[in-house]
Amino acid sequence: MNRLDRLRGTGPGKRHNARTVAALTGNPGCSRRAVLDAAGVDKVRLAEHIGFPGSFGQSRFALARGNAFEAMLKADDCALLRSTLGAYVGGYEDLGADEDGTLSARHARTRALLLDASEGLVDHPLLTLEVAGQTVFLEPDLIAYQTGAQLQVVEIKSFAIIDGQADGTAVSAAAVQAAVYVLALRQLLGDDRVSHEVVLVCPENFSLQPVAVVLDVRKQLSTLRRQLSRLASVSALVESLPEALSFDLAQPPAAVVAALSAVDARYAPECLSSCELSVYCRHEAAGSTSALGRPVRDALGGVATIDEALALASGAASPTPDQAEAAALLRAAQRLRDEAVAVAPRPRGEAL
Ligand code: SF4
Protein backbone atom coordinates (compact mmCIF):
# COMPACT_ATOMS: atom_id res chain seq x y z
CA MET A 1 0.00 0.00 0.00
CA ASN A 2 1.53 3.35 -0.97
CA ARG A 3 1.52 6.49 1.18
CA LEU A 4 -1.52 8.03 -0.55
CA ASP A 5 -3.54 4.81 -0.09
CA ARG A 6 -2.59 4.76 3.59
CA LEU A 7 -3.74 8.38 3.96
CA ARG A 8 -7.11 7.47 2.45
CA GLY A 9 -7.47 4.31 4.52
CA THR A 10 -9.98 1.56 3.87
CA GLY A 11 -12.44 3.48 1.63
CA PRO A 12 -12.33 3.21 -2.17
CA GLY A 13 -10.45 5.99 -3.96
CA LYS A 14 -12.67 8.77 -5.25
CA ARG A 15 -12.22 9.24 -8.97
CA HIS A 16 -12.13 12.66 -10.54
CA ASN A 17 -14.47 13.87 -13.26
CA ALA A 18 -14.43 17.08 -15.28
CA ARG A 19 -16.30 18.96 -12.55
CA THR A 20 -13.86 17.91 -9.82
CA VAL A 21 -10.82 18.55 -12.02
CA ALA A 22 -12.22 22.01 -12.79
CA ALA A 23 -12.77 22.61 -9.06
CA LEU A 24 -9.03 22.10 -8.46
CA THR A 25 -8.44 25.59 -9.81
CA GLY A 26 -10.75 27.06 -7.17
CA ASN A 27 -8.12 27.31 -4.41
CA PRO A 28 -4.69 26.36 -5.73
CA GLY A 29 -2.90 27.42 -2.53
CA CYS A 30 -4.71 24.97 -0.22
CA SER A 31 -2.46 22.09 0.92
CA ARG A 32 -5.35 20.30 2.62
CA ARG A 33 -7.33 20.02 -0.57
CA ALA A 34 -4.25 19.05 -2.59
CA VAL A 35 -3.46 16.17 -0.19
CA LEU A 36 -7.08 14.94 0.08
CA ASP A 37 -7.58 15.02 -3.70
CA ALA A 38 -4.25 13.36 -4.44
CA ALA A 39 -5.14 10.57 -1.96
CA GLY A 40 -8.60 10.19 -3.57
CA VAL A 41 -10.41 10.87 -0.27
CA ASP A 42 -14.20 11.14 -0.68
CA LYS A 43 -14.62 14.66 0.71
CA VAL A 44 -18.44 14.51 0.68
CA ARG A 45 -18.41 11.46 2.97
CA LEU A 46 -15.62 12.92 5.08
CA ALA A 47 -17.60 16.15 5.64
CA GLU A 48 -20.68 14.12 6.64
CA HIS A 49 -18.60 11.90 8.95
CA ILE A 50 -17.24 14.86 10.92
CA GLY A 51 -20.66 16.53 11.14
CA PHE A 52 -20.24 19.29 8.55
CA PRO A 53 -22.19 18.14 5.48
CA GLY A 54 -22.57 20.71 2.72
CA SER A 55 -25.28 21.23 0.16
CA PHE A 56 -22.79 20.76 -2.62
CA GLY A 57 -23.57 20.33 -6.32
CA GLN A 58 -26.52 21.27 -8.45
CA SER A 59 -30.10 21.27 -7.16
CA ARG A 60 -32.47 18.61 -8.47
CA PHE A 61 -34.36 21.33 -10.33
CA ALA A 62 -31.19 22.55 -12.07
CA LEU A 63 -30.23 18.96 -12.98
CA ALA A 64 -33.68 18.24 -14.44
CA ARG A 65 -33.66 21.50 -16.42
CA GLY A 66 -30.14 20.75 -17.71
CA ASN A 67 -31.09 17.21 -18.78
CA ALA A 68 -34.27 18.43 -20.54
CA PHE A 69 -32.35 21.15 -22.39
CA GLU A 70 -29.63 18.75 -23.50
CA ALA A 71 -32.18 16.12 -24.63
CA MET A 72 -34.01 18.75 -26.67
CA LEU A 73 -30.78 19.87 -28.39
CA LYS A 74 -29.67 16.31 -29.13
CA ALA A 75 -33.02 14.95 -30.40
CA ASP A 76 -33.08 13.77 -34.04
CA ASP A 77 -29.30 13.48 -34.36
CA CYS A 78 -28.71 16.93 -32.84
CA ALA A 79 -30.94 18.71 -35.38
CA LEU A 80 -31.62 21.75 -33.15
CA LEU A 81 -28.04 21.90 -31.91
CA ARG A 82 -26.68 21.81 -35.44
CA SER A 83 -28.94 24.64 -36.55
CA THR A 84 -27.83 26.62 -33.44
CA LEU A 85 -24.15 26.05 -34.17
CA GLY A 86 -24.65 27.25 -37.75
CA ALA A 87 -21.15 27.19 -39.16
CA TYR A 88 -20.26 24.08 -37.17
CA VAL A 89 -22.76 21.75 -38.87
CA GLY A 90 -21.72 18.50 -40.53
CA GLY A 91 -21.98 14.76 -39.86
CA TYR A 92 -22.98 13.24 -36.53
CA GLU A 93 -21.48 10.26 -34.65
CA ASP A 94 -22.88 9.00 -31.33
CA LEU A 95 -20.25 6.99 -29.49
CA GLY A 96 -22.65 6.29 -26.64
CA ALA A 97 -24.95 4.20 -28.83
CA ASP A 98 -22.87 1.04 -28.27
CA GLU A 99 -23.71 0.46 -24.61
CA ASP A 100 -21.78 -2.82 -24.45
CA GLY A 101 -18.44 -1.09 -24.99
CA THR A 102 -16.02 -0.72 -22.05
CA LEU A 103 -14.63 2.68 -21.14
CA SER A 104 -11.29 1.79 -22.75
CA ALA A 105 -13.02 0.64 -25.96
CA ARG A 106 -15.04 3.85 -26.13
CA HIS A 107 -11.91 5.91 -25.54
CA ALA A 108 -10.11 4.04 -28.34
CA ARG A 109 -13.04 4.66 -30.71
CA THR A 110 -13.08 8.35 -29.73
CA ARG A 111 -9.38 8.59 -30.49
CA ALA A 112 -9.68 6.86 -33.86
CA LEU A 113 -12.62 9.01 -34.87
CA LEU A 114 -10.96 12.27 -33.85
CA LEU A 115 -7.68 11.42 -35.57
CA ASP A 116 -9.66 10.93 -38.73
CA ALA A 117 -11.73 14.06 -38.19
CA SER A 118 -13.66 15.75 -40.91
CA GLU A 119 -16.66 18.04 -40.52
CA GLY A 120 -19.22 17.05 -37.91
CA LEU A 121 -20.22 16.43 -34.31
CA VAL A 122 -19.08 13.63 -31.99
CA ASP A 123 -21.55 12.78 -29.23
CA HIS A 124 -20.65 10.86 -26.03
CA PRO A 125 -16.90 10.94 -26.72
CA LEU A 126 -14.63 9.63 -23.95
CA LEU A 127 -11.35 11.36 -23.14
CA THR A 128 -8.71 10.72 -20.49
CA LEU A 129 -6.52 12.97 -18.36
CA GLU A 130 -3.76 12.13 -15.87
CA VAL A 131 -4.60 13.62 -12.46
CA ALA A 132 -2.12 12.94 -9.65
CA GLY A 133 -1.00 9.72 -11.31
CA GLN A 134 -4.58 8.54 -11.86
CA THR A 135 -6.20 8.17 -15.27
CA VAL A 136 -9.48 10.06 -15.23
CA PHE A 137 -12.17 9.39 -17.84
CA LEU A 138 -13.96 12.51 -19.02
CA GLU A 139 -17.16 12.77 -20.99
CA PRO A 140 -17.64 16.15 -22.70
CA ASP A 141 -21.09 17.15 -23.87
CA LEU A 142 -19.90 17.10 -27.47
CA ILE A 143 -16.89 17.75 -29.64
CA ALA A 144 -17.44 19.59 -32.86
CA TYR A 145 -14.87 18.58 -35.39
CA GLN A 146 -15.21 20.99 -38.12
CA THR A 147 -13.98 23.08 -40.98
CA GLY A 148 -10.35 24.04 -40.88
CA ALA A 149 -7.74 22.02 -39.08
CA GLN A 150 -8.96 22.38 -35.49
CA LEU A 151 -11.39 20.57 -33.22
CA GLN A 152 -13.69 22.55 -30.98
CA VAL A 153 -15.39 21.57 -27.73
CA VAL A 154 -19.12 22.30 -27.41
CA GLU A 155 -20.37 22.71 -23.84
CA ILE A 156 -24.12 22.62 -23.15
CA LYS A 157 -25.30 24.47 -20.04
CA SER A 158 -28.79 25.19 -18.78
CA PHE A 159 -28.21 28.63 -17.21
CA ALA A 160 -29.83 31.41 -19.25
CA ILE A 161 -28.15 34.10 -21.33
CA ILE A 162 -30.44 37.11 -20.93
CA ASP A 163 -29.97 40.07 -23.27
CA GLY A 164 -26.47 38.82 -24.05
CA GLN A 165 -25.49 38.58 -20.35
CA ALA A 166 -25.15 35.52 -18.13
CA ASP A 167 -24.27 34.88 -14.50
CA GLY A 168 -20.49 35.47 -14.33
CA THR A 169 -19.86 32.66 -11.83
CA ALA A 170 -21.73 30.13 -13.98
CA VAL A 171 -19.89 31.22 -17.14
CA SER A 172 -16.48 31.03 -15.51
CA ALA A 173 -17.29 27.55 -14.09
CA ALA A 174 -18.37 26.42 -17.59
CA ALA A 175 -15.18 27.89 -19.09
CA VAL A 176 -12.97 25.98 -16.62
CA GLN A 177 -14.86 22.74 -17.26
CA ALA A 178 -14.54 23.19 -21.02
CA ALA A 179 -10.82 23.92 -20.53
CA VAL A 180 -10.48 20.48 -18.86
CA TYR A 181 -11.79 18.88 -22.07
CA VAL A 182 -9.54 21.05 -24.26
CA LEU A 183 -6.53 19.98 -22.18
CA ALA A 184 -7.49 16.29 -22.44
CA LEU A 185 -7.98 16.63 -26.20
CA ARG A 186 -4.65 18.40 -26.62
CA GLN A 187 -2.88 15.63 -24.71
CA LEU A 188 -4.51 13.13 -27.06
CA LEU A 189 -4.03 14.90 -30.39
CA GLY A 190 -1.50 17.71 -29.91
CA ASP A 191 -1.92 21.41 -29.07
CA ASP A 192 -2.36 22.70 -32.58
CA ARG A 193 -5.23 20.32 -33.39
CA VAL A 194 -7.56 21.69 -30.69
CA SER A 195 -8.91 25.21 -30.53
CA HIS A 196 -8.64 27.32 -27.36
CA GLU A 197 -12.07 28.67 -28.23
CA VAL A 198 -15.02 26.62 -27.01
CA VAL A 199 -18.67 26.98 -27.92
CA LEU A 200 -21.11 27.43 -25.05
CA VAL A 201 -24.74 26.61 -25.82
CA CYS A 202 -27.34 27.95 -23.35
CA PRO A 203 -31.04 28.84 -23.30
CA GLU A 204 -31.67 32.41 -24.43
CA ASN A 205 -33.67 34.87 -22.34
CA PHE A 206 -36.61 33.21 -20.56
CA SER A 207 -37.27 30.47 -23.13
CA LEU A 208 -35.52 27.17 -23.87
CA GLN A 209 -34.50 28.53 -27.28
CA PRO A 210 -30.73 27.81 -27.56
CA VAL A 211 -28.04 30.34 -28.34
CA ALA A 212 -24.31 29.68 -28.99
CA VAL A 213 -21.49 31.91 -27.74
CA VAL A 214 -17.73 31.45 -28.12
CA LEU A 215 -15.42 31.54 -25.07
CA ASP A 216 -11.64 31.87 -25.10
CA VAL A 217 -10.27 29.49 -22.42
CA ARG A 218 -6.51 30.17 -22.69
CA LYS A 219 -6.33 31.66 -19.18
CA GLN A 220 -8.23 28.70 -17.67
CA LEU A 221 -5.93 26.29 -19.53
CA SER A 222 -2.78 27.74 -18.04
CA THR A 223 -4.28 27.75 -14.53
CA LEU A 224 -5.33 24.12 -14.95
CA ARG A 225 -1.90 23.05 -16.18
CA ARG A 226 -0.26 24.76 -13.21
CA GLN A 227 -2.64 23.17 -10.74
CA LEU A 228 -2.35 19.69 -12.23
CA SER A 229 1.44 19.87 -12.13
CA ARG A 230 1.18 20.93 -8.50
CA LEU A 231 -0.98 17.89 -7.76
CA ALA A 232 1.53 15.66 -9.49
CA SER A 233 4.24 17.08 -7.24
CA VAL A 234 2.19 16.77 -4.06
CA SER A 235 4.42 13.87 -3.01
CA ALA A 236 6.86 16.22 -1.22
CA LEU A 237 3.98 17.64 0.79
CA VAL A 238 2.71 14.13 1.58
CA GLU A 239 6.18 12.99 2.69
CA SER A 240 6.33 15.88 5.17
CA LEU A 241 3.19 14.67 6.98
CA PRO A 242 3.36 12.48 10.10
CA GLU A 243 3.76 8.79 9.17
CA ALA A 244 0.68 7.70 11.15
CA LEU A 245 -1.63 10.35 9.69
CA SER A 246 -4.80 8.91 8.17
CA PHE A 247 -8.16 10.25 6.96
CA ASP A 248 -9.72 6.78 7.18
CA LEU A 249 -13.45 7.19 7.81
CA ALA A 250 -13.41 4.02 9.93
CA GLN A 251 -11.86 6.22 12.66
CA PRO A 252 -14.03 8.23 15.09
CA PRO A 253 -14.90 11.74 13.81
CA ALA A 254 -12.61 13.43 16.35
CA ALA A 255 -9.60 11.49 15.00
CA VAL A 256 -10.45 12.54 11.42
CA VAL A 257 -10.77 16.19 12.53
CA ALA A 258 -7.36 15.91 14.23
CA ALA A 259 -5.89 14.52 10.99
CA LEU A 260 -7.40 17.41 9.01
CA SER A 261 -5.88 19.98 11.33
CA ALA A 262 -2.43 18.50 10.61
CA VAL A 263 -2.62 19.79 7.02
CA ASP A 264 -2.73 23.54 6.36
CA ALA A 265 -5.94 24.89 4.83
CA ARG A 266 -6.41 28.20 3.07
CA TYR A 267 -10.09 28.93 3.49
CA ALA A 268 -11.70 31.67 1.39
CA PRO A 269 -15.39 32.36 0.80
CA GLU A 270 -14.95 31.01 -2.76
CA CYS A 271 -14.48 27.55 -1.21
CA LEU A 272 -18.24 27.46 -0.59
CA SER A 273 -18.87 26.96 -4.29
CA SER A 274 -15.89 24.78 -5.12
CA CYS A 275 -14.99 22.42 -2.27
CA GLU A 276 -17.00 19.78 -0.40
CA LEU A 277 -15.21 20.54 2.88
CA SER A 278 -16.12 24.21 2.88
CA VAL A 279 -18.63 24.13 5.75
CA TYR A 280 -16.03 22.57 8.06
CA CYS A 281 -13.20 24.85 6.89
CA ARG A 282 -15.41 27.94 7.31
CA HIS A 283 -16.20 26.84 10.87
CA GLU A 284 -12.51 26.26 11.56
CA ALA A 285 -11.56 29.67 10.09
CA ALA A 286 -14.21 31.62 12.04
CA GLY A 287 -12.72 34.78 13.52
CA SER A 288 -9.74 34.78 11.18
CA THR A 289 -9.12 37.52 8.62
CA SER A 290 -8.77 34.91 5.86
CA ALA A 291 -12.44 33.97 6.30
CA LEU A 292 -13.28 37.45 4.95
CA GLY A 293 -11.80 36.65 1.53
CA ARG A 294 -8.53 36.82 -0.35
CA PRO A 295 -8.41 40.63 -0.83
CA VAL A 296 -8.72 41.12 2.96
CA ARG A 297 -6.19 38.37 3.71
CA ASP A 298 -3.71 39.86 1.23
CA ALA A 299 -4.20 43.42 2.54
CA LEU A 300 -3.85 42.30 6.17
CA GLY A 301 -0.79 40.06 5.84
CA GLY A 302 0.54 39.24 9.31
CA VAL A 303 -2.79 40.00 11.04
CA ALA A 304 -4.34 36.59 11.62
CA THR A 305 -7.58 37.33 13.48
CA ILE A 306 -10.43 39.84 13.27
CA ASP A 307 -9.99 40.70 16.99
CA GLU A 308 -6.34 41.55 16.32
CA ALA A 309 -7.34 43.71 13.33
CA LEU A 310 -9.89 45.63 15.43
CA ALA A 311 -7.35 46.18 18.23
CA LEU A 312 -4.76 47.49 15.74
CA ALA A 313 -7.35 49.75 14.07
CA SER A 314 -8.42 51.35 17.35
CA GLY A 315 -4.86 51.67 18.65
CA ALA A 316 -5.56 49.28 21.54
CA ALA A 317 -2.71 47.05 20.33
CA SER A 318 0.75 47.96 19.01
CA PRO A 319 1.79 46.33 15.72
CA THR A 320 4.78 44.02 15.42
CA PRO A 321 7.26 45.09 12.70
CA ASP A 322 5.67 42.80 10.09
CA GLN A 323 2.20 44.15 10.93
CA ALA A 324 3.20 47.82 10.54
CA GLU A 325 1.89 48.22 6.99
CA ALA A 326 -1.43 46.49 7.71
CA ALA A 327 -1.81 48.46 10.97
CA ALA A 328 -1.38 51.79 9.11
CA LEU A 329 -4.09 50.69 6.66
CA LEU A 330 -6.41 49.68 9.48
CA ARG A 331 -5.92 52.93 11.41
CA ALA A 332 -6.60 54.96 8.24
CA ALA A 333 -9.77 52.94 7.63
CA GLN A 334 -10.86 53.47 11.26
CA ARG A 335 -10.24 57.24 10.96
CA LEU A 336 -12.32 57.43 7.77
CA ARG A 337 -15.09 55.45 9.39
CA ASP A 338 -15.09 57.71 12.47
CA GLU A 339 -15.28 60.82 10.23
CA ALA A 340 -18.14 59.32 8.19
CA VAL A 341 -20.05 58.45 11.37
CA ALA A 342 -19.48 61.97 12.76
CA VAL A 343 -20.98 63.72 9.70
CA ALA A 344 -23.77 61.21 8.96
CA PRO A 345 -27.29 62.64 9.52
CA ARG A 346 -28.95 61.19 12.61
CA PRO A 347 -32.59 60.61 13.42
CA ARG A 348 -34.00 63.45 15.51
CA GLY A 349 -33.45 62.97 19.21
CA GLU A 350 -30.54 60.52 18.86
CA ALA A 351 -27.43 61.59 20.82
CA LEU A 352 -24.02 61.76 19.14
S1 SF4 B 1 -12.82 24.22 1.74
FE1 SF4 B 1 -11.04 23.77 2.99
S2 SF4 B 1 -9.99 22.05 2.00
FE2 SF4 B 1 -11.42 22.91 0.54
S3 SF4 B 1 -10.16 24.35 -0.65
FE3 SF4 B 1 -11.18 25.53 0.98
S4 SF4 B 1 -9.73 25.54 2.67
FE4 SF4 B 1 -9.06 23.95 1.24
Side-chain angles (χ1 to χ4, degrees), residues 104-339:
S104 315
R106 214 167 108 206
H107 177 246
R109 282 174 51 220
T110 302
R111 187 168 187 276
L113 191 62
L114 294 177
L115 281 171
D116 181 35
S118 54
E119 252 184 43
L121 287 169
V122 183
D123 199 357
H124 296 105
L126 202 66
L127 307 173
T128 58
L129 192 68
E130 288 295 307
V131 179
Q134 206 183 71
T135 301
V136 178
F137 285 100
L138 305 168
E139 194 168 7
D141 288 331
L142 280 167
I143 297 164
Y145 57 89
Q146 45 121 18
T147 53
Q150 287 197 307
L151 303 176
Q152 201 155 25
V153 169
V154 179
E155 184 70 9
I156 299 172
K157 290 290 174 198
S158 61
F159 58 81
I161 296 182
I162 299 170
D163 291 335
Q165 302 286 322
D167 172 27
T169 311
V171 174
S172 54
V176 179
Q177 211 172 321
V180 175
Y181 299 135
V182 172
L183 190 61
L185 272 173
R186 287 187 166 186
Q187 288 185 0
L188 183 70
L189 305 167
D191 282 7
D192 51 349
R193 285 278 289 115
V194 187
S195 174
H196 57 260
E197 290 189 331
V198 302
V199 184
L200 185 63
V201 180
C202 295
E204 188 172 29
N205 297 330
F206 300 101
S207 68
L208 277 185
Q209 187 60 36
V211 63
V213 293
V214 173
L215 299 179
D216 183 330
V217 297
R218 271 177 290 189
K219 190 165 141 267
Q220 289 81 357
L221 274 172
S222 65
T223 311
L224 255 179
R225 281 207 179 92
R226 204 171 48 246
Q227 183 60 357
L228 287 175
S229 66
R230 186 171 178 270
L231 260 194
S233 62
V234 81
S235 51
L237 179 57
V238 167
E239 291 308 320
S240 69
L241 298 174
E243 187 57 31
L245 192 78
S246 168
F247 303 106
D248 194 338
L249 301 188
Q251 303 174 100
V256 179
V257 168
L260 283 175
S261 61
V263 190
D264 286 342
R266 208 172 151 88
Y267 177 78
E270 293 81 1
C271 291
L272 291 170
S273 59
S274 62
C275 183
E276 299 86 341
L277 265 191
S278 54
V279 178
Y280 169 72
C281 292
R282 181 179 58 180
H283 168 81
E284 182 190 53
S288 70
T289 49
S290 64
L292 301 175
R294 277 181 208 141
V296 176
R297 183 180 58 207
D298 294 346
L300 297 184
V303 182
T305 68
I306 294 171
D307 285 348
E308 218 179 336
L310 290 173
L312 288 170
S314 66
S318 309
T320 59
D322 62 337
Q323 291 175 333
E325 202 179 318
L329 260 179
L330 285 163
R331 280 198 300 271
Q334 178 76 51
R335 208 168 39 247
L336 283 174
R337 185 182 181 281
D338 292 346
E339 285 169 14

